[in-house]
Amino acid sequence: MSKKITKFICFLVTAVMLCSCSAKGGDDVEKGKNLAKSGEKTEAAAEGQASSGKLSWRKTEIQIPEGAAYINSLNYLADGAIRINSTDQDGQNAAVWDSRDNGGTWENADADMSLTSEYGYHYSAEGSLYIFDNERLAISAGDGTESQSIHAGEKEMLVDAAMAGNTLAVLAADQNNRLRLDIYDLDTMSCRTLENGELSQYLNSQSVGGIALDSSGEILYLKIEEIKGMNLARYDLKQDQLESLADQDIMNRLLNREEKNGLPNPREEVFLSFAVNDAEDRMVVCMMDLVSNQTKLYLCEKGTWEEERKTASEGGLRIYSLDLRGGTSVRQAAALFQEMHPELEVSYETGYTGEDGVTLSDAIRTLNTELMAGEGPDLLILDGLPADSYAEKGILEDLTDIVEPEKEKYFYNIISAYNGGGKIYKMPTAFSVPVLLGDGEILAAENMDQLMDVFEKKADAGIPFITPENFAGTAGSLFITSDILQETVDEGRLAKFYKDLEKLAAQSMTDGERQELEEYNRMTYWAENYPICSQPELELYYGEAQAGADKLSIYEDYIRILALRRDKGLTYQYLNREKGNYFIAESVLGINSAGKNPEAARQFLTYYLSGEAQRTDLFSSFSVIRSVMEGRDYDKYISESGESTGSISRKDTPDKMMYLNKIRPAELQELTAFFEGCSLPVRDDSVVLRKVMEQADACLFEGKDPESAAKEVCSEVNLYLSE
């Protein structure tokens, strides 16, 4: 792929990544539910249509012009024509094409292309040219000269833009990754920022990566990514009203993300851009095919189409995950397994979504009832579930004969430790390691009490022990690697834990910082999104903190730690290692011994453990299968010479850089030995974790008494744990 195309993709991906960093607060999520409901009204109304079918959307691929390997932009013109700007596979021979028959045929457009652009040419509904990158947008006067230009503010970037009628819409992001929509009047170039409360909250509670306008410039369309999929929303600029155009179910089907029985499409393509016609019954979407390295166009039409949906049969394979975050790689593998075995109906179920009034404990109780009755799914993703209890009660099948014969393929110490050194009932397929970062004195602390002693010695050092942004990740890691949770939660130890957190917080943040700390930097958010972790290396590198807790889960984590050690003399050690070296087991699989199709479950597990179904880019943690660790990205991170692999900084400190180098073979051996030293799994019951962290926030941000907080936790979760 040419440098020009690569640069454009990097620009696009940077914009999307920046948008996706927005936090998801509780009120914002509720707004998202309301928007989704507005889309449901259309579907509900359509239920009363004639029996010939349900009102829905249908997608057909459009044949793009010959030589148009990469499409930089697309939009609808005011006369209904579709306009695209394309280049060839090498990023050369830029051309503008129009189609007046919905992509059936294309003709070269007599379009202005006189401005210089590395990122493609964009057009208004009237055919006026504008170009932009993340720093600047320029509009042609029509004779090839630039008539107007807009520049991103200091420490800001332009994410996307659309122009129609008398309106220019610009999606921008500030240094804190907060998004806003600026609307310009093209006659006066006066600008107003959309301040609709629902829109603003929604922008910064989701990942918004694209906008478009109708030909009048009065209707703005937004592409909104969520955990479960994508929405297309419409915003009436005159009526100041936000509603859904196409909900998640529709978009998942249109974008090759349709889930059949809970399984994703294993051949998913990457969404790049879109356009909507004025009648809102057609839209064109541009997708990147990662296999052919070319873009594709699809025409999506709204109408009455018959839908065929399969349902899981009695002889199918049922796979269960407690929540949506668990088992991303397992879901992908299940979709591939379904392709290999079309005669077998594979379904993927999620017990907790957070959207239907069902609590985590409700979901687990429902599952337990099924399992104890000899029913339930065939294959369980045990993350967040009471896996030890399932093994003790005989619910899980013995997997030793699957794993043991090829034990050298795995980090077998992880598997064995997770099963208490005995038979294998629970198969962790990925893992990460919580680590403590700091100087030699900090790393000598083998438990929380010793760490607090070191903290008190360093309390007057003039810099925070832990920065406010990394406080939640550090506090959460300290809890999961403690012995507070055993068969039940120890109330006295939990109260002491809360008191220690208060001491750390008092030194790590001012009262003002504490009150202004965003929800996504607090403990409740950390627990709800566990096993996420903070990344405190930059703060330690810049001398802005004394200690931190990270989660070694991908090569990039280790590369940052090596830079910290090389340049600053700070390094890493197992966290709370007094009783063993903790690790976090993830994507843990177990087979229900009373499932209806245990043989299919064993076939799937064997297939999954072969490594063929696993892709390194689907893992947020290291794979327990050694060969996957050394997969296709191996050369990207490992080299004999340890040459430079770039640098990182923050938007608010562009003058400060952490310089990164590839991992040398000796350093890789060190990392492997570190993993082989792991001997103790953390306890990660989701119900307990969320309640403990919820009360930690109550202590730190609401002034709740630690003893009262600990008592409240124990009165609720110990009853749950005893069931």
Side-chain angles (χ1 to χ4, degrees), residues 165-441:
N166 199 39
T167 302
L168 169 65
V170 177
L171 181 65
D174 66 17
Q175 61 179 334
N176 296 316
N177 298 336
R178 291 190 63 82
L179 295 166
R180 72 171 189 277
L181 276 163
D182 292 336
I183 305 299
Y184 291 83
D185 183 305
L186 289 173
D187 287 336
T188 63
M189 290 307 291
S190 59
C191 174
R192 65 185 176 98
T193 298
L194 295 181
E195 296 181 349
N196 176 284
E198 184 178 358
L199 175 64
S200 297
Q201 288 189 7
Y202 203 73
L203 280 176
N204 290 290
S205 66
Q206 314 298 330
S207 168
V208 179
I211 58 174
L213 284 166
D214 76 337
S215 66
S216 71
E218 296 178 359
I219 304 296
L220 179 70
Y221 302 102
L222 303 95
K223 174 175 73 74
I224 301 172
E225 287 275 9
E226 298 180 288
I227 293 175
K228 291 171 61 179
M230 181 185 296
N231 279 313
L232 275 188
R234 70 188 303 279
Y235 182 77
D236 190 316
L237 292 167
K238 284 194 169 183
Q239 301 296 323
D240 194 28
Q241 184 176 353
L242 179 71
E243 58 187 1
S244 177
L245 176 66
D247 63 18
Q248 291 169 351
D249 287 343
I250 292 171
M251 294 306 295
N252 284 343
R253 292 197 297 275
L254 293 180
L255 303 181
N256 286 345
R257 296 179 179 179
E258 181 178 12
E259 295 189 356
K260 293 184 178 180
N261 301 325
L263 297 179
N265 188 313
R267 312 298 176 194
E268 181 179 330
E269 298 165 333
V270 177
F271 186 109
L272 294 181
S273 56
F274 73 103
V276 182
N277 73 341
D278 286 354
E280 296 184 346
D281 59 0
R282 288 195 184 97
M283 55 186 168
V284 181
V285 295
C286 179
M287 309 283 287
M288 169 62 80
D289 185 327
L290 298 179
V291 177
S292 66
N293 222 7
Q294 295 187 344
T295 47
K296 293 182 177 180
L297 280 183
Y298 294 98
L299 177 67
C300 305
E301 300 174 276
K302 193 174 186 179
T304 304
W305 321 109
E306 289 290 345
E307 295 186 63
E308 295 183 4
R309 288 187 170 273
K310 297 193 295 182
T311 58
S313 64
E314 285 296 316
L317 173 64
R318 293 175 60 197
I319 303 174
Y320 177 95
S321 176
L322 177 61
D323 59 31
L324 292 167
R325 294 185 308 276
T328 301
S329 182
V330 178
R331 291 179 74 235
Q332 186 74 18
L336 294 169
F337 188 72
Q338 173 71 94
E339 283 192 342
M340 294 168 57
H341 299 278
E343 77 287 352
L344 178 71
E345 194 73 33
V346 182
S347 64
Y348 188 98
E349 306 168 19
T350 302
Y352 172 78
T353 65
E355 297 180 355
D356 51 10
V358 176
T359 66
L360 266 176
S361 53
D362 290 339
I364 294 174
R365 286 189 180 101
T366 299
L367 175 64
N368 289 347
T369 300
E370 273 196 274
L371 293 172
M372 295 305 292
E375 300 290 336
D378 302 294
L379 189 77
L380 300 167
I381 299 174
L382 295 166
D383 301 38
L385 292 171
D388 290 342
S389 174
Y390 290 170
E392 291 167 4
K393 293 175 180 176
I395 290 172
L396 300 179
E397 186 171 326
D398 185 357
L399 308 176
T400 308
D401 63 323
I402 296 178
V403 180
E404 191 80 23
E406 298 184 294
K407 59 193 300 183
E408 70 281 352
K409 287 177 49 179
Y410 314 113
F411 284 101
Y412 192 75
N413 59 300
I414 299 283
I415 300 168
S416 178
Y418 195 71
N419 286 275
K423 290 184 176 181
I424 299 167
Y425 294 96
K426 306 165 293 179
M427 180 61 197
T429 62
F431 69 96
S432 56
V433 184
V435 292
L436 182 64
L437 304 175
D439 60 23
E441 189 175 7

Side-chain angles (χ1 to χ4, degrees), residues 535 537 550 556-564 648 658:
Q535 296 179 347
E537 290 88 356
D550 197 359
E556 284 94 335
D557 299 330
Y558 189 48
I559 287 173
R560 290 194 305 270
I561 290 173
L562 290 176
L564 190 64
I648 54 173
M658 173 188 275

